[in-house]
Short mmCIF file of all heavy atoms in Angstrom, two decimals:
data_model
loop_
_atom_site.label_atom_id
_atom_site.label_comp_id
_atom_site.label_asym_id
_atom_site.label_seq_id
_atom_site.Cartn_x
_atom_site.Cartn_y
_atom_site.Cartn_z
N GLU A 98 65.73 254.07 101.23
CA GLU A 98 66.39 254.32 99.95
C GLU A 98 65.74 253.49 98.85
O GLU A 98 65.42 252.31 99.04
CB GLU A 98 67.87 253.94 100.06
CG GLU A 98 68.64 254.13 98.77
CD GLU A 98 70.03 253.55 98.86
OE1 GLU A 98 70.37 253.02 99.93
OE2 GLU A 98 70.77 253.63 97.85
N TYR A 130 55.90 217.26 85.06
CA TYR A 130 56.25 216.81 86.41
C TYR A 130 57.65 217.21 86.89
O TYR A 130 57.79 217.64 88.04
CB TYR A 130 56.11 215.29 86.56
CG TYR A 130 54.78 214.73 86.14
CD1 TYR A 130 54.69 213.52 85.46
CD2 TYR A 130 53.59 215.42 86.41
CE1 TYR A 130 53.47 213.00 85.06
CE2 TYR A 130 52.36 214.91 86.02
CZ TYR A 130 52.31 213.70 85.34
OH TYR A 130 51.10 213.19 84.94
N LYS A 141 60.35 224.88 99.49
CA LYS A 141 60.21 224.46 100.88
C LYS A 141 61.38 224.90 101.75
O LYS A 141 61.38 224.67 102.95
CB LYS A 141 60.07 222.94 100.95
CG LYS A 141 58.81 222.40 100.29
CD LYS A 141 58.80 220.88 100.27
CE LYS A 141 57.59 220.33 99.53
NZ LYS A 141 57.62 218.85 99.44
N GLY A 154 62.45 219.36 74.96
CA GLY A 154 61.56 219.40 73.80
C GLY A 154 61.15 220.80 73.38
O GLY A 154 60.37 220.95 72.43
N VAL A 221 54.63 224.64 78.92
CA VAL A 221 53.71 224.83 80.05
C VAL A 221 53.81 223.61 80.96
O VAL A 221 53.81 222.47 80.49
CB VAL A 221 52.26 225.02 79.55
CG1 VAL A 221 51.33 225.27 80.73
CG2 VAL A 221 52.20 226.19 78.57
N ILE A 275 34.23 241.60 84.89
CA ILE A 275 34.26 241.96 83.47
C ILE A 275 33.66 240.84 82.62
O ILE A 275 32.89 241.08 81.69
CB ILE A 275 35.70 242.30 83.03
CG1 ILE A 275 36.17 243.58 83.74
CG2 ILE A 275 35.79 242.44 81.52
CD1 ILE A 275 37.63 243.91 83.51
N GLY A 283 26.04 239.45 76.12
CA GLY A 283 26.25 238.52 75.01
C GLY A 283 27.37 238.94 74.08
O GLY A 283 27.33 238.65 72.88
N ARG A 285 31.53 239.10 72.96
CA ARG A 285 32.84 238.46 73.11
C ARG A 285 33.72 239.31 74.02
O ARG A 285 33.73 240.53 73.92
CB ARG A 285 33.53 238.33 71.75
CG ARG A 285 32.99 237.21 70.88
CD ARG A 285 33.84 237.12 69.61
NE ARG A 285 33.46 235.99 68.79
CZ ARG A 285 34.09 235.64 67.67
NH1 ARG A 285 35.13 236.36 67.24
NH2 ARG A 285 33.71 234.59 66.99
N VAL A 291 50.02 238.10 79.55
CA VAL A 291 51.47 238.30 79.41
C VAL A 291 52.18 237.45 80.47
O VAL A 291 51.85 237.51 81.66
CB VAL A 291 51.86 239.77 79.56
CG1 VAL A 291 53.35 239.96 79.30
CG2 VAL A 291 51.05 240.65 78.61
N GLU A 354 30.96 225.95 79.09
CA GLU A 354 32.08 226.03 80.01
C GLU A 354 32.48 224.63 80.47
O GLU A 354 31.65 223.72 80.52
CB GLU A 354 31.73 226.92 81.21
CG GLU A 354 31.46 228.37 80.80
CD GLU A 354 31.24 229.29 81.97
OE1 GLU A 354 31.06 228.78 83.10
OE2 GLU A 354 31.26 230.51 81.78
N MET A 367 42.29 221.03 93.54
CA MET A 367 41.15 221.95 93.52
C MET A 367 40.54 221.96 92.13
O MET A 367 41.23 222.22 91.14
CB MET A 367 41.60 223.36 93.89
CG MET A 367 42.22 223.48 95.27
SD MET A 367 41.04 223.20 96.61
CE MET A 367 40.04 224.68 96.44
#
Side-chain angles (χ1 to χ4, degrees):
E98 178 189 0
Y130 307 141
K141 295 174 184 177
V221 182
I275 293 173
R285 284 184 174 184
V291 185
E354 297 186 347
M367 300 292 291

